[in-house]
Amino acid sequence: MGKEAYRALVADDSEDVREIVVRALAKEDIACDSAADGVQAENLCRRVAYDVVISDLRMPRKHGHKLVTELLARPAPPMIIVITGVLDPRLAGDLIARGVQDIVSKPLV
């Protein structure tokens, strides 16, 4: 009987960021999906129970803050990690208070 892999979603409008994060998670045997905007991420989260969602804040079609707060309001929310290039201390405090696990600043490399 093999171990079950963790499932992750990487949501970022930057293809380079998605690629870097997905590659890093794959090295840890974490199965990954990716989304280029907030609506695509929301649709994937409706179909798949992710263990972790890694999301940018500034994305087209649906802001990452809205996506994250909706996911955290679920009865069994995934772990949330935010990756962002713009970090307002009030926004960071709000996200952490709501249950975001960590906030990582861009650039990643």
Side-chain angles (χ1 to χ4, degrees):
M1 184 183 284
K3 67 177 183 174
E4 286 191 33
Y6 286 105
R7 297 278 320 239
L9 173 63
V10 179
D12 198 299
D13 58 324
S14 166
E15 186 176 351
D16 290 340
V17 171
R18 287 193 315 270
E19 211 172 279
I20 289 167
V21 175
V22 166
R23 207 172 327 138
L25 294 173
K27 286 182 181 180
E28 300 299 323
D29 295 323
I30 297 173
C32 293
D33 292 324
S34 64
D37 63 54
V39 170
Q40 189 179 22
E42 177 183 40
N43 290 336
L44 285 167
C45 287
R46 285 189 183 132
R47 294 187 310 231
V48 179
Y50 291 104
D51 299 297
V52 62
V53 173
I54 301 168
S55 179
D56 187 11
L57 291 180
R58 287 190 177 172
M59 292 187 292
R61 301 194 323 146
K62 182 170 195 158
H63 196 275
H65 186 274
K66 184 164 179 61
L67 173 69
V68 165
T69 56
E70 289 173 356
L71 291 174
L72 289 170
R74 290 179 170 187
M79 178 188 302
I80 305 284
I81 298 171
V82 169
I83 299 175
T84 184
V86 178
L87 194 56
D88 175 332
R90 292 172 298 167
L91 179 60
D94 175 65
L95 290 169
I96 296 295
R98 289 176 185 260
V100 167
Q101 193 72 28
D102 199 3
I103 300 173
V104 179
S105 296
K106 289 182 184 178
L108 299 176
V109 289

